Amino acid sequence: MWFIARIRKRKSHLPACGVETTATTIVCVFLIFRISHITLHGILSVSTVFLDADDTRPGRFQQVRFSSNVEDFACDNNTELLVMVATKADEYDRRVSIRKTWGSPLRFNATATRLLFVTGIIHYHNNDEENADFRDMILTNIREKYQNLALKTFAALFFAQRYCPRVKCLVKADSDNFLNIPALERYCRQNHERPSILGRCNISRKVIRNRFVKWYVPPHVYGPNQYPRYCSTGAYMFLGRETPIKLLNALPHTGFYESENMRRMSEDVIFTGIVPSMLSLPRIHSDGFNFYESPTTECDESTKRQIAYSIHAPDEIDAMFRYETLLSASGDSCQ
Ligand SMILES: *[C@@H]1O[C@H](CO)[C@@H](O)[C@H](O)[C@H]1NC(C)=O
Ligand SMILES: *[C@@H]1O[C@H](CO)[C@@H](O)[C@H](O)[C@H]1NC(C)=O
Ligand SMILES: *[C@@H]1O[C@H](CO)[C@@H](O)[C@H](O)[C@H]1NC(C)=O
């Protein structure tokens, strides 16, 4: 309706469209075509998460704050691996599913590993009661919006360096990842002395300039046509005790604190690509991290066994079956 109304309205404002001569007819057809093209474009184009004019006003970056009892979740001297899962405040069912399956303390060494959820805020939702029951949620002042995902990874790094400075590795995951934590514990124990990032890091790094694609990034937000090597799927592991603090210390040199648009970029591009490349922090590719439900594996050099570290699933249906599929992909011998 709106589409038709708009063309009609524009037509009535074109006095040249009386079709007196061939020239005016051509101009007329051209104008109508242009108008409908622009209108269609307006309807079809995916609205981008970026601002046309970046907001670089000083002080616009709102420091991430944690709820007052956050010290209660601090790691102790036995904690070696910290797993932080980015989750939306109202994703209660997801968290329940994770707590029962791959995130259950019965499924990993709960002395060595701590699993915590990072949540933001939604004005109508309060997580205090849930956190009183489970005591595994880092509540932040981050607004729950797609473009704020990078702030959650920032919060995870910030929490790790502030409250868990002695952990050897930090895993960042999304709530739709399923993790094989025992395999990550093993890899961490064997490799944490060489600072690096482990994940699916051999993906295409081309910056998407097609505005109809969800991951479109306009040149005024990121100029180069390729990202530095980064690790996708939402789940990856930072190795090395000092890695979180090093990443945070490098962040002021990237424009993250100045540019609202930079903060709206994909969290993996920022924290496994742009910042680590400034530090020359190696990113180690493993086929054991997956975009999909059916796991591919990596041959572990030390044990000569296949390993799958993570899968990605759209919902929590059959979560236990999916978790078992992930686990059973590991173990076969390989060369
Ligand atoms: C943890 O380790 C640090 C440094 O090694 C030590 O100063 C502190 O007392 C330890 N804390 C506990 C609770 O053992
Ligand atoms: C669990 O982790 C602790 C701390 O690193 C370690 O001392 C203990 O041996 C581990 N237990 C198992 C069963 O691996
Ligand atoms: C990443 O590696 C896997 C196998 O090792 C391969 O199948 C896949 O095509 C690679 N991806 C890219 C973008 O090179």
Side-chain angles (χ1 to χ4, degrees):
M1 274 307 289
W2 176 76
F3 172 58
I4 294 164
R6 178 154 169 184
I7 289 178
R8 287 222 180 103
K9 185 161 169 268
R10 296 303 285 262
K11 266 171 79 177
S12 69
H13 282 104
L14 293 171
C17 285
V19 200
E20 287 96 16
T21 66
T22 316
T24 52
T25 308
I26 290 170
V27 169
C28 229
V29 167
F30 173 75
L31 283 176
I32 289 168
F33 176 78
R34 279 295 297 164
I35 290 164
S36 52
H37 180 77
I38 290 165
T39 311
L40 261 181
H41 208 262
I43 292 168
L44 292 179
S45 72
V46 180
S47 65
T48 148
V49 300
F50 298 106
L51 306 170
D52 290 340
D54 197 4
D55 190 344
T56 56
R57 281 176 287 168
R60 292 297 287 173
F61 173 69
Q62 221 198 345
Q63 189 56 251
V64 170
R65 281 182 285 113
F66 300 118
S67 60
S68 55
N69 62 345
V70 76
E71 288 88 355
D72 299 353
F73 305 106
C75 302
D76 60 34
N77 281 357
N78 292 316
T79 319
E80 296 180 5
L81 175 66
L82 174 63
V83 179
M84 300 209 76
V85 184
T87 157
K88 289 208 312 230
D90 59 359
E91 275 184 320
Y92 178 72
D93 292 346
R94 274 282 167 153
R95 285 188 293 274
V96 167
S97 164
I98 292 170
R99 287 176 186 124
K100 280 195 211 148
T101 57
W102 64 265
S104 160
L106 302 173
R107 306 206 167 263
F108 50 80
N109 182 339
T111 307
T113 298
R114 170 129 351 153
L115 182 142
L116 296 170
F117 295 99
V118 185
T119 62
I121 43 171
I122 303 180
H123 69 278
Y124 57 82
H125 195 89
N126 188 327
N127 291 110
D128 289 340
E129 209 173 303
E130 182 186 350
N131 208 17
D133 287 346
F134 295 102
R135 303 178 48 77
D136 60 3
M137 296 169 75
I138 303 299
L139 310 181
T140 70
N141 62 335
I142 299 166
R143 300 232 157 255
E144 289 293 3
K145 287 192 276 194
Y146 178 76
Q147 61 257 41
N148 278 348
L149 283 179
L151 293 181
K152 288 202 181 153
T153 306
F154 173 81
L157 287 164
F158 196 80
F159 178 87
Q161 65 89 28
R162 177 82 178 74
Y163 297 103
C164 300
R166 277 189 290 272
V167 297
K168 294 173 177 162
C169 302
L170 166 64
V171 170
K172 140 80 205 2
D174 290 333
S175 58
D176 50 5
N177 294 124
F178 286 62
L179 304 185
N180 179 351
I181 293 184
L184 291 162
E185 285 173 335
R186 216 172 309 121
Y187 189 95
C188 174
R189 202 166 302 130
Q190 288 165 0
N191 298 286
H192 69 94
E193 273 160 21
R194 271 179 299 132
S196 63
I197 303 176
L198 179 75
R200 180 161 284 262
C201 313
N202 77 333
I203 44 158
S204 163
R205 291 152 40 200
K206 243 177 99 168
V207 180
I208 291 172
R209 302 295 194 196
N210 177 349
R211 55 183 301 134
F212 297 108
V213 175
K214 185 179 173 193
W215 292 281
Y216 165 64
V217 176
H220 76 273
V221 174
Y222 191 76
N225 285 323
Q226 279 221 325
Y227 297 120
R229 182 176 164 92
Y230 75 100
C231 312
S232 195
T233 77
Y236 46 82
M237 177 155 70
F238 298 107
L239 290 107
R241 200 160 275 176
E242 310 257 286
T243 300
I245 184 82
K246 281 190 192 146
L247 291 168
L248 291 171
N249 285 344
L251 210 48
H253 310 293
T254 62
F256 185 82
Y257 294 113
E258 289 81 39
S259 164
E260 173 66 38
N261 273 339
M262 161 113 192
R263 291 193 290 275
R264 292 184 180 195
M265 286 177 66
S266 294
E267 56 90 28
D268 49 8
V269 169
I270 300 173
F271 290 103
T272 72
I274 295 171
V275 190
S277 79
M278 291 179 76
L279 297 168
S280 303
L281 183 68
R283 277 129 285 168
I284 299 170
H285 170 71
S286 167
D287 281 332
F289 291 80
N290 289 278
F291 283 114
Y292 307 107
E293 286 172 60
S294 65
T296 57
T297 56
E298 170 86 10
C299 186
D300 180 59
E301 290 307 318
S302 62
T303 58
K304 299 281 177 225
R305 299 274 166 196
Q306 300 284 2
I307 305 280
Y309 292 105
S310 72
I311 53 172
H312 198 272
D315 54 48
E316 62 269 10
I317 297 165
D318 289 337
M320 201 62 205
F321 173 76
R322 283 167 167 162
Y323 177 58
E324 278 162 5
T325 307
L326 169 66
L327 291 189
S328 60
S330 301
D332 289 351
S333 63
C334 55
Q335 283 313 308

